[in-house]
Amino acid sequence: DVVLWMYPLMAISSKKMSPFLAVLGTGILTLSYQGLFELAKQFLDPYDNESFGKGEDPLVVDTLIAETNAGSVRWLNGLEKFPISSQRIQEGELSEYLLPLRGISVEELEQLKKEKKERERELQERREKEEKERQLAEAAAKAQRKAAEAMIPG
């Protein structure tokens, strides 16, 4: 930003440059440098936590970064060290690990933690219920096999 402010002064103080070229150079420098500067700020803040993009960015930086990393082979064997169980991945229960597009406040973070604990409790209850149902179905099938074997003379 300092370069953009100082360029007209440097150009005018130079005796060899015409005022027309100083104005034209200032405009070109402002257009090119300011655009690169904004792009650099967006790359340094891909989730727009500091509102550099002001919500009107046609370039979706997080998608660009994701596409850049999509072909990376170094993550292929990382699933064993991933802190999420493979069962959750297979069931598609990854919603609490998705990052928001904008930053979140401390109150929202506390609310998210409470919701996560509630979802985990409900998920555990559902898994226990399904396990009991499976065990009952296995016991019923085993009882049916025993009854069928007892009826068939051997």
Side-chain angles (χ1 to χ4, degrees), residues 89-105:
I89 293 172
Q90 290 171 351
E91 294 175 1
E93 300 168 0
L94 299 175
S95 60
E96 64 263 10
Y97 298 102
L98 298 177
L99 296 174
L101 293 177
R102 300 270 179 207
I104 58 175
S105 66

Side-chain angles (χ1 to χ4, degrees), residues 5-66:
W5 286 102
M6 294 302 291
Y7 180 79
L9 298 174
M10 291 184 300
I12 291 172
S13 69
S14 170
K15 304 280 189 216
K16 298 177 183 175
M17 186 178 290
S18 71
F20 175 73
L21 284 178
V23 171
L24 181 66
T26 302
I28 290 173
L29 186 63
T30 301
L31 288 177
S32 62
Y33 179 75
Q34 197 65 32
L36 286 174
F37 186 63
E38 289 296 320
L39 185 62
K41 287 195 292 188
Q42 289 176 6
F43 272 114
L44 289 173
D45 185 23
Y47 293 108
D48 204 19
N49 292 330
E50 300 295 325
S51 297
F52 288 128
K54 297 174 190 72
E56 53 198 26
D57 182 21
L59 175 68
V60 184
V61 178
D62 56 341
T63 303
L64 180 63
I65 292 171

Side-chain angles (χ1 to χ4, degrees), residues 121-135:
R121 187 186 56 77
E122 290 173 358
L123 181 62
Q124 185 65 27
E125 289 174 358
R126 189 177 82 216
R127 286 183 180 156
E128 289 173 359
K129 181 180 175 185
E130 288 173 355
E131 181 64 24
K132 286 180 184 178
E133 290 174 355
R134 186 187 63 76
Q135 289 175 351

